[in-house]
Every structure is written in C-alpha cells, then in structure tokens.
Amino acid sequence: MNTQKHKHYKPNYTPLILIIAVVVAIVAIIIAANCINYDPDVNILQKDITITKPGEDVQKVQPTPTPAPQPTPEPVSRRGTAEPIPESVRASMQGKSMKTNSNITYDDLRYLTIPHYDFNYNVVTGHLVVADDVAEEVLDIFAELFDAKYPIERMELIDKYNADDFTSIEYNNTSAFNYRVVSTGSGKLSNHAYGRAIDINPQQNPYVYRNGTGAHENAREFWQRDVSKWSREIDRAAYIGNETAVCRIFKKYGWKWGGDWSEKDYQHFEK
C-alpha cells in the first residue's frame, strides 16, 4: 500500500500586505493634499473652500474669524449728582416753577440728576430741583430706592408741564420744586415752594379726600388702597404704603409722609 505524505499549506499574506500599504499611502496623500488645519480657538476643522461655477472666477471663502472678547459693561452708578441750577435750566424755570418772590432764589436750590428704574424696569435718568440743604440727602434716598428697584414712571421738572401741578400729576410725573401755595385753599406756601417736598408716582399714590374720592379720574382705581384689587403688576410695584420700602427709606431720613394725614396725600413726602 502506497502512502503519501501530505504537505502542510502555508498561506501567502504578501499580496494583502501590499494592498493595505497602498490604501494607507493613498489616504495619507489625500490628507496631505487637503492641508487640513485645526484651530483650537474656533474648535472646528478649517480650510479654505474654493467655490466654482461654470464661467466664473474662482472665489475663496475664508473661515469666520473668532470674535474678539467684549469688555464687561461698567456698572450703573446708583447715586445721582447735585449741582447749582444751570443757566439753561434757570431759563426754563423762570416765570413757571420759579415765580418772582422774596423767599427763595436759584442759589438756594440744586439741580439733581438721578438714575431710576422706569415702568419697564429700564434704568433711565430723571431730574429734580430741591433745596440745597437736602440735596445730598435726597440723592441718598433715591440711591436706596434704586437698590430696592422701586419703579418711577417719569421724573421731569414740572416746568415741562408749564408748572401746572394738575397736568404733571395727569402724566404721573414725579417732581419736587414748584413755587406755589398748598392745594387746601389756605393760601399758605407749600413745601414744594422751598424745594423741600417730593411727589412720587402721583397716579398710583393720589391725593384722596375724606370722602374717599380724588381729583384725577385716571387715578380712580388707586383711590382705594387694596393693591390686591389693582389690575397691573407695575401699579402694585409703584404703590406707597407704610409697609413699603419707599416709606421706610424716607422716614429713616426724617421725612414726613402725606399718607399719615387725615386727608391722604399718598404721593407726598416733605421735610
């Protein structure tokens, strides 16, 4: 019986190795040809892109540059400034809030520039004219109101309303100096005439007679002081009552509040 010895088969990997080497070489050539650059600031792969259309020149689109860092905005100054009444302001006051009198002059007053939150809670700048000897104190008070984010709809010199108190209130204007008598009919000069009284958000904080009514129809909702019945949130935020930050702050500096009187003048503070 013939016996044959079987030879063991040994596979030949040489062709496979050659194919893999060729593929690796091709991939390396493609990567090198594309010149890929990595920008760690942008954190994306960037390269010049060439856009071509038939009949058009080649146009290179550059990668969007990394935006430059923006500086941090300066914080808003919470405290306003006081200065002697500027000539231009004196001219606007003459014959209006400043009437001919022997009691007070422009030198007795100061022009205040005051930052405050408006009814959209934007920080805006308003102006008051007050007595010189309370000017710095008023700035302190309104700085604290600013910290409390108490909103004030507008704060303009009453001369914009021809120094007419009724019109200024109709526009819910916060104001101070106005050389006039009190509204009770006594003929006595008001503390506004000396720059020692301030009316704040007079629509939400009206003058209310003993019978519970007021003079301004646009403030009718606010004659009654139950703020839970008021329709707008911003009106409730502008409310002044004994329990509010506005009252506490003014009284801390020794100012009296008209809401404590028998005929309520909720807008009014004086010293």
Side-chain angles (χ1 to χ4, degrees):
M1 178 175 173
N2 293 331
T3 59
Q4 294 180 344
K5 293 182 179 179
H6 296 281
K7 297 181 178 179
H8 292 287
Y9 176 74
K10 295 182 178 179
N12 186 356
Y13 295 105
T14 302
L16 180 60
I17 293 171
L18 290 174
I19 292 170
I20 293 172
V22 170
V23 171
V24 171
I26 292 172
V27 171
I29 292 170
I30 291 172
I31 293 173
N34 278 273
C35 299
I36 296 177
N37 297 313
Y38 181 72
D39 187 339
D41 293 328
V42 180
N43 200 26
I44 59 170
L45 292 177
Q46 293 187 333
K47 62 179 180 179
D48 289 350
I49 303 170
T50 302
I51 301 173
T52 60
K53 291 183 180 179
E56 291 184 352
D57 293 335
V58 173
Q59 177 185 3
K60 285 190 175 181
V61 179
Q62 298 295 332
T64 303
T66 304
Q70 297 299 313
T72 303
E74 290 294 325
V76 175
S77 175
R78 59 190 282 278
R79 195 175 190 275
T81 59
E83 61 181 308
I85 311 297
E87 288 299 328
S88 60
V89 176
R90 293 187 184 202
S92 69
M93 293 170 62
Q94 189 59 42
K96 295 179 182 177
S97 65
M98 177 60 88
K99 299 171 180 65
T100 302
N101 73 92
S102 58
N103 297 302
I104 194 163
T105 70
Y106 289 113
D107 292 336
D108 300 318
L109 303 170
R110 287 296 178 268
Y111 179 69
L112 307 186
T113 300
I114 299 174
H116 66 89
Y117 289 92
D118 66 11
F119 272 18
N120 293 313
Y121 285 98
N122 296 317
V123 176
V124 296
T125 300
H127 298 284
L128 294 176
V129 169
V130 300
D132 177 29
D133 63 343
V134 299
E136 295 300 321
E137 184 173 278
V138 170
L139 292 179
D140 290 337
I141 289 170
F142 278 91
E144 292 195 38
L145 293 181
F146 185 91
D147 290 343
K149 290 193 173 181
Y150 176 74
I152 298 171
E153 185 163 20
R154 56 174 51 85
M155 186 190 295
E156 301 171 319
L157 299 192
I158 201 167
D159 306 283
K160 181 173 180 178
Y161 307 94
N162 203 33
D164 183 73
D165 191 53
F166 189 93
T167 304
S168 178
I169 291 173
E170 284 285 295
Y171 283 90
N172 202 27
N173 182 48
T174 293
S175 65
F177 173 76
N178 188 13
Y179 195 84
R180 63 173 178 83
V181 297
V182 296
S183 58
T184 60
S186 67
K188 178 184 174 182
L189 278 176
S190 165
N191 274 336
H192 287 285
Y194 298 100
R196 303 179 68 85
I198 303 171
D199 292 340
I200 300 177
N201 285 331
Q203 187 178 94
Q204 290 78 21
N205 304 288
Y207 189 106
V208 179
Y209 305 125
R210 287 185 177 89
N211 64 5
T213 67
H216 296 266
E217 281 297 318
N218 65 5
R220 176 181 286 272
E221 180 181 6
F222 314 117
W223 295 347
Q224 59 81 26
R225 305 305 286 169
D226 183 355
V227 296
S228 67
K229 296 179 180 178
W230 294 5
S231 56
R232 295 197 309 166
E233 182 179 348
I234 192 62
D235 294 325
R236 295 191 290 271
Y239 162 79
I240 298 174
N242 252 321
E243 72 281 10
T244 63
V246 182
C247 250
R248 290 197 303 270
I249 292 167
F250 268 95
K251 287 183 175 183
K252 181 176 75 172
Y253 287 89
W255 289 63
K256 297 176 181 177
W257 178 46
D260 290 328
W261 302 342
S262 57
E263 278 200 349
K264 307 299 185 182
D265 196 357
Y266 294 109
Q267 67 203 258
H268 183 90
F269 292 93
E270 67 175 41
K271 189 172 188 181

mmCIF file of all heavy atoms in Angstrom, residues 121-164:
data_model
loop_
_atom_site.group_PDB
_atom_site.id
_atom_site.type_symbol
_atom_site.label_atom_id
_atom_site.label_comp_id
_atom_site.label_asym_id
_atom_site.label_seq_id
_atom_site.Cartn_x
_atom_site.Cartn_y
_atom_site.Cartn_z
ATOM 1 N N TYR A 121 -38.749 98.709 33.803
ATOM 2 C CA TYR A 121 -37.553 98.302 34.551
ATOM 3 C C TYR A 121 -36.272 98.518 33.749
ATOM 4 O O TYR A 121 -35.293 97.812 33.927
ATOM 5 C CB TYR A 121 -37.669 96.862 35.055
ATOM 6 C CG TYR A 121 -38.611 96.770 36.233
ATOM 7 C CD1 TYR A 121 -39.923 96.372 36.063
ATOM 8 C CD2 TYR A 121 -38.180 97.141 37.506
ATOM 9 C CE1 TYR A 121 -40.800 96.332 37.146
ATOM 10 C CE2 TYR A 121 -39.052 97.097 38.592
ATOM 11 C CZ TYR A 121 -40.354 96.687 38.410
ATOM 12 O OH TYR A 121 -41.227 96.652 39.478
ATOM 13 N N ASN A 122 -36.308 99.545 32.889
ATOM 14 C CA ASN A 122 -35.080 100.042 32.279
ATOM 15 C C ASN A 122 -34.511 101.123 33.192
ATOM 16 O O ASN A 122 -35.263 101.870 33.830
ATOM 17 C CB ASN A 122 -35.355 100.644 30.897
ATOM 18 C CG ASN A 122 -35.860 99.612 29.912
ATOM 19 O OD1 ASN A 122 -35.348 98.498 29.852
ATOM 20 N ND2 ASN A 122 -36.866 99.974 29.141
ATOM 21 N N VAL A 123 -33.181 101.214 33.248
ATOM 22 C CA VAL A 123 -32.553 102.277 34.034
ATOM 23 C C VAL A 123 -32.510 103.542 33.175
ATOM 24 O O VAL A 123 -31.949 103.547 32.085
ATOM 25 C CB VAL A 123 -31.129 101.883 34.482
ATOM 26 C CG1 VAL A 123 -30.463 103.040 35.216
ATOM 27 C CG2 VAL A 123 -31.176 100.640 35.368
ATOM 28 N N VAL A 124 -33.130 104.592 33.659
ATOM 29 C CA VAL A 124 -33.190 105.868 32.945
ATOM 30 C C VAL A 124 -32.721 106.968 33.903
ATOM 31 O O VAL A 124 -32.484 106.729 35.088
ATOM 32 C CB VAL A 124 -34.608 106.162 32.432
ATOM 33 C CG1 VAL A 124 -35.037 105.123 31.398
ATOM 34 C CG2 VAL A 124 -35.611 106.170 33.580
ATOM 35 N N THR A 125 -32.619 108.174 33.374
ATOM 36 C CA THR A 125 -32.160 109.314 34.173
ATOM 37 C C THR A 125 -33.279 110.330 34.304
ATOM 38 O O THR A 125 -33.904 110.709 33.306
ATOM 39 C CB THR A 125 -30.941 109.977 33.525
ATOM 40 O OG1 THR A 125 -29.884 109.013 33.433
ATOM 41 C CG2 THR A 125 -30.459 111.156 34.348
ATOM 42 N N GLY A 126 -33.538 110.755 35.525
ATOM 43 C CA GLY A 126 -34.526 111.799 35.770
ATOM 44 C C GLY A 126 -33.898 113.001 36.444
ATOM 45 O O GLY A 126 -32.700 112.994 36.783
ATOM 46 N N HIS A 127 -34.710 114.059 36.635
ATOM 47 C CA HIS A 127 -34.197 115.293 37.230
ATOM 48 C C HIS A 127 -35.199 115.844 38.246
ATOM 49 O O HIS A 127 -36.410 115.792 38.039
ATOM 50 C CB HIS A 127 -33.933 116.347 36.162
ATOM 51 C CG HIS A 127 -32.893 115.936 35.163
ATOM 52 N ND1 HIS A 127 -31.542 115.945 35.460
ATOM 53 C CD2 HIS A 127 -32.996 115.473 33.896
ATOM 54 C CE1 HIS A 127 -30.858 115.521 34.403
ATOM 55 N NE2 HIS A 127 -31.718 115.218 33.454
ATOM 56 N N LEU A 128 -34.660 116.376 39.328
ATOM 57 C CA LEU A 128 -35.444 117.087 40.338
ATOM 58 C C LEU A 128 -34.705 118.364 40.701
ATOM 59 O O LEU A 128 -33.474 118.435 40.613
ATOM 60 C CB LEU A 128 -35.609 116.247 41.608
ATOM 61 C CG LEU A 128 -36.431 114.952 41.547
ATOM 62 C CD1 LEU A 128 -36.365 114.243 42.896
ATOM 63 C CD2 LEU A 128 -37.871 115.232 41.161
ATOM 64 N N VAL A 129 -35.462 119.361 41.147
ATOM 65 C CA VAL A 129 -34.873 120.552 41.779
ATOM 66 C C VAL A 129 -35.331 120.549 43.228
ATOM 67 O O VAL A 129 -36.538 120.452 43.515
ATOM 68 C CB VAL A 129 -35.313 121.839 41.067
ATOM 69 C CG1 VAL A 129 -34.926 123.071 41.889
ATOM 70 C CG2 VAL A 129 -34.684 121.924 39.674
ATOM 71 N N VAL A 130 -34.366 120.606 44.144
ATOM 72 C CA VAL A 130 -34.676 120.580 45.575
ATOM 73 C C VAL A 130 -33.846 121.637 46.288
ATOM 74 O O VAL A 130 -32.913 122.207 45.712
ATOM 75 C CB VAL A 130 -34.396 119.186 46.196
ATOM 76 C CG1 VAL A 130 -35.243 118.106 45.534
ATOM 77 C CG2 VAL A 130 -32.912 118.841 46.129
ATOM 78 N N ALA A 131 -34.160 121.853 47.559
ATOM 79 C CA ALA A 131 -33.387 122.805 48.380
ATOM 80 C C ALA A 131 -31.950 122.319 48.540
ATOM 81 O O ALA A 131 -31.688 121.120 48.653
ATOM 82 C CB ALA A 131 -34.047 122.970 49.731
ATOM 83 N N ASP A 132 -31.042 123.255 48.568
ATOM 84 C CA ASP A 132 -29.614 122.943 48.689
ATOM 85 C C ASP A 132 -29.317 122.092 49.926
ATOM 86 O O ASP A 132 -28.548 121.136 49.872
ATOM 87 C CB ASP A 132 -28.826 124.262 48.737
ATOM 88 C CG ASP A 132 -27.329 124.045 48.932
ATOM 89 O OD1 ASP A 132 -26.826 122.992 48.498
ATOM 90 O OD2 ASP A 132 -26.668 124.911 49.525
ATOM 91 N N ASP A 133 -29.976 122.407 51.060
ATOM 92 C CA ASP A 133 -29.617 121.725 52.304
ATOM 93 C C ASP A 133 -30.162 120.299 52.412
ATOM 94 O O ASP A 133 -29.814 119.579 53.351
ATOM 95 C CB ASP A 133 -30.044 122.561 53.515
ATOM 96 C CG ASP A 133 -31.547 122.756 53.597
ATOM 97 O OD1 ASP A 133 -32.237 122.536 52.583
ATOM 98 O OD2 ASP A 133 -32.048 123.129 54.680
ATOM 99 N N VAL A 134 -31.014 119.873 51.464
ATOM 100 C CA VAL A 134 -31.478 118.475 51.472
ATOM 101 C C VAL A 134 -31.010 117.710 50.237
ATOM 102 O O VAL A 134 -31.346 116.538 50.075
ATOM 103 C CB VAL A 134 -33.021 118.387 51.581
ATOM 104 C CG1 VAL A 134 -33.511 119.017 52.872
ATOM 105 C CG2 VAL A 134 -33.703 118.991 50.359
ATOM 106 N N ALA A 135 -30.238 118.359 49.375
ATOM 107 C CA ALA A 135 -29.875 117.768 48.082
ATOM 108 C C ALA A 135 -29.132 116.434 48.238
ATOM 109 O O ALA A 135 -29.498 115.425 47.615
ATOM 110 C CB ALA A 135 -29.040 118.744 47.258
ATOM 111 N N GLU A 136 -28.093 116.414 49.055
ATOM 112 C CA GLU A 136 -27.307 115.188 49.213
ATOM 113 C C GLU A 136 -28.142 114.081 49.861
ATOM 114 O O GLU A 136 -28.024 112.902 49.514
ATOM 115 C CB GLU A 136 -26.051 115.472 50.032
ATOM 116 C CG GLU A 136 -25.061 116.409 49.357
ATOM 117 C CD GLU A 136 -24.565 115.867 48.014
ATOM 118 O OE1 GLU A 136 -24.347 114.650 47.923
ATOM 119 O OE2 GLU A 136 -24.400 116.668 47.092
ATOM 120 N N GLU A 137 -28.990 114.473 50.782
ATOM 121 C CA GLU A 137 -29.867 113.503 51.439
ATOM 122 C C GLU A 137 -30.854 112.900 50.437
ATOM 123 O O GLU A 137 -31.118 111.693 50.466
ATOM 124 C CB GLU A 137 -30.617 114.207 52.567
ATOM 125 C CG GLU A 137 -31.490 113.316 53.409
ATOM 126 C CD GLU A 137 -32.041 114.094 54.592
ATOM 127 O OE1 GLU A 137 -31.313 114.231 55.598
ATOM 128 O OE2 GLU A 137 -33.195 114.570 54.512
ATOM 129 N N VAL A 138 -31.396 113.719 49.565
ATOM 130 C CA VAL A 138 -32.318 113.215 48.534
ATOM 131 C C VAL A 138 -31.597 112.231 47.613
ATOM 132 O O VAL A 138 -32.157 111.197 47.215
ATOM 133 C CB VAL A 138 -32.942 114.373 47.735
ATOM 134 C CG1 VAL A 138 -33.701 113.858 46.512
ATOM 135 C CG2 VAL A 138 -33.874 115.193 48.622
ATOM 136 N N LEU A 139 -30.349 112.522 47.281
ATOM 137 C CA LEU A 139 -29.580 111.582 46.467
ATOM 138 C C LEU A 139 -29.400 110.250 47.188
ATOM 139 O O LEU A 139 -29.480 109.183 46.569
ATOM 140 C CB LEU A 139 -28.218 112.178 46.108
ATOM 141 C CG LEU A 139 -28.222 113.374 45.153
ATOM 142 C CD1 LEU A 139 -26.796 113.867 44.928
ATOM 143 C CD2 LEU A 139 -28.878 113.023 43.822
ATOM 144 N N ASP A 140 -29.156 110.300 48.500
ATOM 145 C CA ASP A 140 -29.033 109.067 49.287
ATOM 146 C C ASP A 140 -30.351 108.279 49.265
ATOM 147 O O ASP A 140 -30.358 107.051 49.124
ATOM 148 C CB ASP A 140 -28.650 109.388 50.732
ATOM 149 C CG ASP A 140 -27.224 109.906 50.864
ATOM 150 O OD1 ASP A 140 -26.406 109.607 49.964
ATOM 151 O OD2 ASP A 140 -26.937 110.599 51.850
ATOM 152 N N ILE A 141 -31.449 108.983 49.415
ATOM 153 C CA ILE A 141 -32.762 108.327 49.429
ATOM 154 C C ILE A 141 -33.028 107.624 48.101
ATOM 155 O O ILE A 141 -33.431 106.447 48.065
ATOM 156 C CB ILE A 141 -33.871 109.358 49.729
ATOM 157 C CG1 ILE A 141 -33.788 109.801 51.191
ATOM 158 C CG2 ILE A 141 -35.248 108.786 49.407
ATOM 159 C CD1 ILE A 141 -34.675 110.985 51.531
ATOM 160 N N PHE A 142 -32.782 108.327 47.003
ATOM 161 C CA PHE A 142 -33.079 107.725 45.703
ATOM 162 C C PHE A 142 -32.069 106.634 45.332
ATOM 163 O O PHE A 142 -32.405 105.733 44.555
ATOM 164 C CB PHE A 142 -33.181 108.805 44.620
ATOM 165 C CG PHE A 142 -34.530 109.471 44.595
ATOM 166 C CD1 PHE A 142 -34.769 110.603 45.340
ATOM 167 C CD2 PHE A 142 -35.566 108.923 43.854
ATOM 168 C CE1 PHE A 142 -36.025 111.206 45.349
ATOM 169 C CE2 PHE A 142 -36.827 109.515 43.849
ATOM 170 C CZ PHE A 142 -37.059 110.657 44.596
ATOM 171 N N ALA A 143 -30.874 106.690 45.904
ATOM 172 C CA ALA A 143 -29.937 105.580 45.725
ATOM 173 C C ALA A 143 -30.489 104.322 46.389
ATOM 174 O O ALA A 143 -30.382 103.204 45.847
ATOM 175 C CB ALA A 143 -28.568 105.932 46.285
ATOM 176 N N GLU A 144 -31.094 104.483 47.555
ATOM 177 C CA GLU A 144 -31.699 103.335 48.232
ATOM 178 C C GLU A 144 -32.939 102.843 47.489
ATOM 179 O O GLU A 144 -33.200 101.632 47.430
ATOM 180 C CB GLU A 144 -32.036 103.697 49.681
ATOM 181 C CG GLU A 144 -30.798 103.926 50.546
ATOM 182 C CD GLU A 144 -31.114 103.928 52.036
ATOM 183 O OE1 GLU A 144 -31.968 103.125 52.451
ATOM 184 O OE2 GLU A 144 -30.503 104.733 52.764
ATOM 185 N N LEU A 145 -33.713 103.763 46.921
ATOM 186 C CA LEU A 145 -34.855 103.353 46.107
ATOM 187 C C LEU A 145 -34.387 102.593 44.867
ATOM 188 O O LEU A 145 -35.033 101.632 44.424
ATOM 189 C CB LEU A 145 -35.684 104.570 45.689
ATOM 190 C CG LEU A 145 -36.412 105.315 46.804
ATOM 191 C CD1 LEU A 145 -37.203 106.489 46.229
ATOM 192 C CD2 LEU A 145 -37.347 104.385 47.565
ATOM 193 N N PHE A 146 -33.258 103.009 44.317
ATOM 194 C CA PHE A 146 -32.673 102.309 43.170
ATOM 195 C C PHE A 146 -32.287 100.888 43.575
ATOM 196 O O PHE A 146 -32.571 99.927 42.853
ATOM 197 C CB PHE A 146 -31.450 103.073 42.664
ATOM 198 C CG PHE A 146 -30.836 102.499 41.416
ATOM 199 C CD1 PHE A 146 -31.246 102.930 40.158
ATOM 200 C CD2 PHE A 146 -29.853 101.524 41.478
ATOM 201 C CE1 PHE A 146 -30.687 102.399 39.005
ATOM 202 C CE2 PHE A 146 -29.290 100.978 40.340
ATOM 203 C CZ PHE A 146 -29.713 101.429 39.093
ATOM 204 N N ASP A 147 -31.657 100.737 44.731
ATOM 205 C CA ASP A 147 -31.277 99.407 45.217
ATOM 206 C C ASP A 147 -32.508 98.523 45.405
ATOM 207 O O ASP A 147 -32.453 97.312 45.191
ATOM 208 C CB ASP A 147 -30.514 99.518 46.537
ATOM 209 C CG ASP A 147 -29.127 100.115 46.363
ATOM 210 O OD1 ASP A 147 -28.636 100.144 45.209
ATOM 211 O OD2 ASP A 147 -28.542 100.560 47.359
ATOM 212 N N ALA A 148 -33.611 99.135 45.830
ATOM 213 C CA ALA A 148 -34.857 98.393 46.042
ATOM 214 C C ALA A 148 -35.600 98.141 44.726
ATOM 215 O O ALA A 148 -36.633 97.470 44.726
ATOM 216 C CB ALA A 148 -35.760 99.166 47.003
ATOM 217 N N LYS A 149 -35.064 98.675 43.609
ATOM 218 C CA LYS A 149 -35.684 98.558 42.281
ATOM 219 C C LYS A 149 -37.120 99.089 42.282
ATOM 220 O O LYS A 149 -38.002 98.540 41.630
ATOM 221 C CB LYS A 149 -35.630 97.123 41.770
ATOM 222 C CG LYS A 149 -34.224 96.665 41.407
ATOM 223 C CD LYS A 149 -34.212 95.379 40.610
ATOM 224 C CE LYS A 149 -32.802 95.066 40.133
ATOM 225 N NZ LYS A 149 -32.737 93.835 39.319
ATOM 226 N N TYR A 150 -37.319 100.172 43.013
ATOM 227 C CA TYR A 150 -38.637 100.810 43.020
ATOM 228 C C TYR A 150 -38.816 101.544 41.687
ATOM 229 O O TYR A 150 -37.998 102.384 41.318
ATOM 230 C CB TYR A 150 -38.759 101.790 44.182
ATOM 231 C CG TYR A 150 -40.072 102.537 44.182
ATOM 232 C CD1 TYR A 150 -41.246 101.896 44.562
ATOM 233 C CD2 TYR A 150 -40.141 103.856 43.782
ATOM 234 C CE1 TYR A 150 -42.462 102.563 44.541
ATOM 235 C CE2 TYR A 150 -41.342 104.542 43.765
ATOM 236 C CZ TYR A 150 -42.510 103.892 44.152
ATOM 237 O OH TYR A 150 -43.711 104.558 44.117
ATOM 238 N N PRO A 151 -39.901 101.250 40.940
ATOM 239 C CA PRO A 151 -40.077 101.874 39.621
ATOM 240 C C PRO A 151 -40.731 103.250 39.713
ATOM 241 O O PRO A 151 -41.655 103.457 40.507
ATOM 242 C CB PRO A 151 -40.991 100.883 38.895
ATOM 243 C CG PRO A 151 -41.835 100.287 39.994
ATOM 244 C CD PRO A 151 -40.943 100.234 41.222
ATOM 245 N N ILE A 152 -40.247 104.176 38.919
ATOM 246 C CA ILE A 152 -40.807 105.532 38.815
ATOM 247 C C ILE A 152 -41.080 105.787 37.335
ATOM 248 O O ILE A 152 -40.172 105.699 36.512
ATOM 249 C CB ILE A 152 -39.824 106.576 39.382
ATOM 250 C CG1 ILE A 152 -39.583 106.314 40.873
ATOM 251 C CG2 ILE A 152 -40.347 107.989 39.162
ATOM 252 C CD1 ILE A 152 -38.477 107.156 41.478
ATOM 253 N N GLU A 153 -42.319 106.103 37.003
ATOM 254 C CA GLU A 153 -42.675 106.188 35.578
ATOM 255 C C GLU A 153 -41.921 107.310 34.871
ATOM 256 O O GLU A 153 -41.366 107.110 33.802
ATOM 257 C CB GLU A 153 -44.175 106.369 35.387
ATOM 258 C CG GLU A 153 -44.575 106.349 33.919
ATOM 259 C CD GLU A 153 -46.043 106.125 33.686
ATOM 260 O OE1 GLU A 153 -46.842 106.344 34.612
ATOM 261 O OE2 GLU A 153 -46.410 105.739 32.558
ATOM 262 N N ARG A 154 -41.921 108.480 35.457
ATOM 263 C CA ARG A 154 -41.132 109.588 34.883
ATOM 264 C C ARG A 154 -40.739 110.564 35.976
ATOM 265 O O ARG A 154 -41.424 110.675 36.998
ATOM 266 C CB ARG A 154 -41.880 110.298 33.756
ATOM 267 C CG ARG A 154 -43.238 110.842 34.088
ATOM 268 C CD ARG A 154 -43.825 111.645 32.922
ATOM 269 N NE ARG A 154 -43.786 110.920 31.678
ATOM 270 C CZ ARG A 154 -44.710 110.035 31.266
ATOM 271 N NH1 ARG A 154 -45.763 109.794 32.039
ATOM 272 N NH2 ARG A 154 -44.611 109.418 30.127
ATOM 273 N N MET A 155 -39.636 111.266 35.729
ATOM 274 C CA MET A 155 -39.116 112.230 36.702
ATOM 275 C C MET A 155 -38.575 113.417 35.908
ATOM 276 O O MET A 155 -37.411 113.451 35.496
ATOM 277 C CB MET A 155 -38.014 111.598 37.558
ATOM 278 C CG MET A 155 -37.507 112.484 38.692
ATOM 279 S SD MET A 155 -36.014 111.807 39.469
ATOM 280 C CE MET A 155 -36.636 110.290 40.187
ATOM 281 N N GLU A 156 -39.456 114.400 35.694
ATOM 282 C CA GLU A 156 -39.105 115.572 34.884
ATOM 283 C C GLU A 156 -39.429 116.839 35.663
ATOM 284 O O GLU A 156 -40.342 116.847 36.500
ATOM 285 C CB GLU A 156 -39.894 115.552 33.569
ATOM 286 C CG GLU A 156 -39.641 114.305 32.735
ATOM 287 C CD GLU A 156 -40.581 114.178 31.557
ATOM 288 O OE1 GLU A 156 -41.783 114.464 31.704
ATOM 289 O OE2 GLU A 156 -40.109 113.775 30.479
ATOM 290 N N LEU A 157 -38.694 117.898 35.368
ATOM 291 C CA LEU A 157 -39.016 119.160 36.021
ATOM 292 C C LEU A 157 -40.439 119.564 35.655
ATOM 293 O O LEU A 157 -40.874 119.407 34.505
ATOM 294 C CB LEU A 157 -38.031 120.248 35.596
ATOM 295 C CG LEU A 157 -36.551 120.007 35.936
ATOM 296 C CD1 LEU A 157 -35.755 121.289 35.724
ATOM 297 C CD2 LEU A 157 -36.368 119.498 37.363
ATOM 298 N N ILE A 158 -41.147 120.104 36.617
ATOM 299 C CA ILE A 158 -42.560 120.433 36.411
ATOM 300 C C ILE A 158 -42.736 121.538 35.373
ATOM 301 O O ILE A 158 -43.836 121.742 34.839
ATOM 302 C CB ILE A 158 -43.210 120.816 37.765
ATOM 303 C CG1 ILE A 158 -44.729 120.660 37.678
ATOM 304 C CG2 ILE A 158 -42.756 122.213 38.200
ATOM 305 C CD1 ILE A 158 -45.419 120.702 39.030
ATOM 306 N N ASP A 159 -41.649 122.220 35.039
ATOM 307 C CA ASP A 159 -41.720 123.276 34.009
ATOM 308 C C ASP A 159 -42.110 122.700 32.650
ATOM 309 O O ASP A 159 -42.657 123.411 31.811
ATOM 310 C CB ASP A 159 -40.366 123.979 33.926
ATOM 311 C CG ASP A 159 -39.929 124.496 35.277
ATOM 312 O OD1 ASP A 159 -40.450 125.534 35.713
ATOM 313 O OD2 ASP A 159 -39.093 123.828 35.910
ATOM 314 N N LYS A 160 -41.837 121.415 32.427
ATOM 315 C CA LYS A 160 -42.259 120.778 31.170
ATOM 316 C C LYS A 160 -43.778 120.801 31.047
ATOM 317 O O LYS A 160 -44.330 120.762 29.943
ATOM 318 C CB LYS A 160 -41.743 119.345 31.115
ATOM 319 C CG LYS A 160 -42.110 118.625 29.836
ATOM 320 C CD LYS A 160 -41.452 117.272 29.729
ATOM 321 C CE LYS A 160 -41.845 116.594 28.419
ATOM 322 N NZ LYS A 160 -41.178 115.283 28.248
ATOM 323 N N TYR A 161 -44.464 120.890 32.181
ATOM 324 C CA TYR A 161 -45.929 120.921 32.213
ATOM 325 C C TYR A 161 -46.428 122.322 32.574
ATOM 326 O O TYR A 161 -47.503 122.478 33.155
ATOM 327 C CB TYR A 161 -46.442 119.874 33.213
ATOM 328 C CG TYR A 161 -45.872 118.509 32.926
ATOM 329 C CD1 TYR A 161 -44.712 118.063 33.573
ATOM 330 C CD2 TYR A 161 -46.430 117.681 31.961
ATOM 331 C CE1 TYR A 161 -44.156 116.819 33.288
ATOM 332 C CE2 TYR A 161 -45.880 116.439 31.665
ATOM 333 C CZ TYR A 161 -44.745 116.022 32.338
ATOM 334 O OH TYR A 161 -44.187 114.788 32.032
ATOM 335 N N ASN A 162 -45.600 123.309 32.232
ATOM 336 C CA ASN A 162 -45.902 124.716 32.486
ATOM 337 C C ASN A 162 -46.119 124.981 33.975
ATOM 338 O O ASN A 162 -46.889 125.859 34.359
ATOM 339 C CB ASN A 162 -47.131 125.158 31.677
ATOM 340 C CG ASN A 162 -47.164 126.654 31.439
ATOM 341 O OD1 ASN A 162 -46.119 127.298 31.298
ATOM 342 N ND2 ASN A 162 -48.362 127.224 31.402
ATOM 343 N N ALA A 163 -45.431 124.190 34.803
ATOM 344 C CA ALA A 163 -45.507 124.300 36.259
ATOM 345 C C ALA A 163 -46.924 124.111 36.778
ATOM 346 O O ALA A 163 -47.258 124.557 37.883
ATOM 347 C CB ALA A 163 -44.931 125.640 36.741
ATOM 348 N N ASP A 164 -47.746 123.415 36.007
ATOM 349 C CA ASP A 164 -49.115 123.134 36.425
ATOM 350 C C ASP A 164 -49.147 121.776 37.125
ATOM 351 O O ASP A 164 -48.917 120.731 36.493
ATOM 352 C CB ASP A 164 -50.053 123.134 35.217
ATOM 353 C CG ASP A 164 -51.500 122.907 35.627
ATOM 354 O OD1 ASP A 164 -52.101 123.818 36.193
ATOM 355 O OD2 ASP A 164 -52.008 121.788 35.391
#
